[in-house]
Amino acid sequence: MTDAEEHAETLSDGVVTLRPWTDEDLAPSVEGHDEEIMRWFGQPEPPSYDRLRGVFARWADERAAGTRLGYGIHADGRLVGGVEARPDGDVTSLSWWLFAGNRGRGYAARAARLLADHAIEHLGAKRVEAEVDPRNAASLRVASRAGLRREGIRRVEPGMADATDQTETVILARLASDHPVTEPEGFRALLNSFLPRKRAISQLLVRDRAGRVLVCQLTYKRDWDLPGGVVEVGESPQLAAAREVREELALDLPAGDLLLTDWLPPWSGWDDAVCLVFDGGEHDASITDRVHKQEREIRHAEFATIEQVRERCADFTARRIESALANLAAGGGPSYVESGGTTDVRREQPPKT
């Protein structure tokens, strides 16, 4: 089979059939073009017959050259949309669209999966990828159902992507070596790629014999905070708290029991997070003499009274420290609070724009 013959091949899964574009597809393509397609492809107006005829001719030339393999998606004996693959070495890019009245039936996901399989099995692609506007929830669902894993976000300036007001692009991809999504391991990996992930922060509540709390003045913000930091991917939050204190203060203080779980709403450029406060124990105040600060992050570390904590720390941090101390004094198990323990956390969240 020649390359041209292979590129002209019809693909089908029994529900949708992919066929190279023909002049018979002109009328349903013009009639099915609607605002949804124009919105996500950045088109100011629907195509005319003459303009689309020229597009079909260009697509035919690109198909012959092997640089763009476009197909009409057919289901129930009619044209319902389009899908295309753009091979470039080891990487093939996918895009798709459905015409008005044909959405929500799984046609696009089936078509994208068929073409991704074809690219890997017959075109030699080692990676099949798609770029989707994060606001386009329907296309994100199509990509995941086609077996493409979510890899991350690429920022773009307005005008750099299809939609003129787009500022981010979601990158999704499938590798030739990925386990099929029909297998449990492949399906779990797919789910893991796009299910929500929360940032976790681990901190130690370290006290001296007078009941003061060890707090740190940080280089990247004015407020003081408990020692600790962000939990690494795959790291135990309890071990992370001790690691951060060791790295930032050179103090080897094991993390004890969990005292508090504090949900932090989005704030000042940060996404929301879960902060876990562990018992750092009671120590002589002289342990601060052994502190060797990590200069990049820590300006100063010292024991502070609750009054000083309230003066130096952000309100929600002070509340978190007081909640952890109260829980420790009560001798109960770990408790859960939001924004340190405020009764109305939603008042503190900035308005969404």
Side-chain angles (χ1 to χ4, degrees), residues 29-30 33-39 41-49 51-52 55 164:
S29 294
V30 171
H33 221 86
D34 64 355
E35 291 183 359
E36 184 78 1
I37 296 175
M38 292 188 290
R39 167 76 178 94
F41 282 94
Q43 299 169 346
E45 57 186 12
S48 64
Y49 279 88
R51 179 174 164 229
L52 195 56
V55 170
T164 57

Side-chain angles (χ1 to χ4, degrees), residues 129-188:
E129 65 181 23
E131 299 183 8
V132 179
D133 189 317
R135 300 168 298 180
N136 191 343
S139 268
L140 289 174
R141 288 193 296 270
V142 167
S144 64
R145 289 170 182 170
L148 276 64
R149 301 182 192 178
R150 180 169 176 149
E151 295 182 340
I153 294 282
R154 183 170 66 223
R155 297 181 302 144
V156 295
E157 291 283 3
M160 292 177 63
D162 287 335
T164 57
D165 60 345
Q166 185 175 342
T167 58
E168 293 181 328
T169 292
V170 180
I171 308 298
L172 307 104
R174 172 184 159 192
L175 301 182
S177 58
D178 286 345
H179 287 277
V181 294
T182 52
E183 297 179 1
E185 185 173 352
F187 185 63
R188 287 194 297 266

Side-chain angles (χ1 to χ4, degrees), residues 20-253:
W21 296 103
T22 69
D23 286 344
E24 294 180 357
D25 299 326
L26 276 171
S29 294
V30 171
E31 294 165 5
H33 221 86
D34 64 355
E35 291 183 359
E36 184 78 1
I37 296 175
M38 292 188 290
R39 167 76 178 94
W40 300 119
F41 282 94
Q43 299 169 346
E45 57 186 12
S48 64
Y49 279 88
D50 287 342
R51 179 174 164 229
L52 195 56
R53 189 175 288 109
V55 170
F56 274 28
R58 174 167 54 82
W59 286 351
D61 291 340
E62 292 172 328
R63 170 176 287 277
T67 58
R68 183 192 298 259
L69 311 179
Y71 297 85
I73 305 172
H74 297 261
D76 300 323
R78 56 196 172 81
L79 181 70
V80 299
V83 63
E84 65 179 30
R86 297 178 299 282
D88 184 8
D90 291 335
V91 180
T92 292
S93 300
L94 295 184
S95 58
W96 53 82
W97 60 95
L98 290 176
F99 296 130
N102 296 291
R103 301 185 181 103
R105 304 179 188 181
Y107 297 149
R110 287 177 173 274
R113 185 165 56 246
L114 267 174
L115 197 47
D117 289 344
H118 180 70
I120 290 173
E121 296 169 8
H122 299 286
L123 302 181
K126 295 181 180 178
R127 173 183 170 88
V128 177
E129 65 181 23
E131 299 183 8
V132 179
D133 189 317
R135 300 168 298 180
N136 191 343
S139 268
L140 289 174
R141 288 193 296 270
V142 167
S144 64
R145 289 170 182 170
L148 276 64
R149 301 182 192 178
R150 180 169 176 149
E151 295 182 340
I153 294 282
R154 183 170 66 223
R155 297 181 302 144
V156 295
E157 291 283 3
M160 292 177 63
D162 287 335
T164 57
D165 60 345
Q166 185 175 342
T167 58
E168 293 181 328
T169 292
V170 180
I171 308 298
L172 307 104
R174 172 184 159 192
L175 301 182
S177 58
D178 286 345
H179 287 277
V181 294
T182 52
E183 297 179 1
E185 185 173 352
F187 185 63
R188 287 194 297 266
L190 177 66
L191 287 177
N192 187 65
S193 75
F194 64 82
L195 287 176
R197 301 181 184 184
K198 282 206 184 294
R199 180 177 294 117
I201 301 168
S202 285
Q203 296 182 327
L204 277 189
L205 184 73
V206 180
R207 290 92 56 209
D208 68 4
R209 308 300 183 196
R212 297 181 300 173
V213 176
L214 182 64
V215 289
C216 300
Q217 184 181 29
L218 307 176
T219 61
Y220 51 88
K221 63 180 182 180
R222 290 178 297 177
D223 304 320
W224 292 57
D225 208 341
L226 289 173
V230 175
V231 181
E232 301 293 343
V233 175
E235 183 181 31
S236 154
Q238 189 175 37
L239 295 180
R243 173 188 56 76
E244 284 284 342
V245 171
R246 187 167 55 251
E247 291 177 354
E248 296 182 353
L249 301 178
L251 293 178
D252 192 6
L253 303 177

Side-chain angles (χ1 to χ4, degrees), residues 252-266:
D252 192 6
L253 303 177
D257 293 338
L258 177 66
L259 298 176
L260 188 73
T261 299
D262 183 13
W263 176 71
L264 309 178

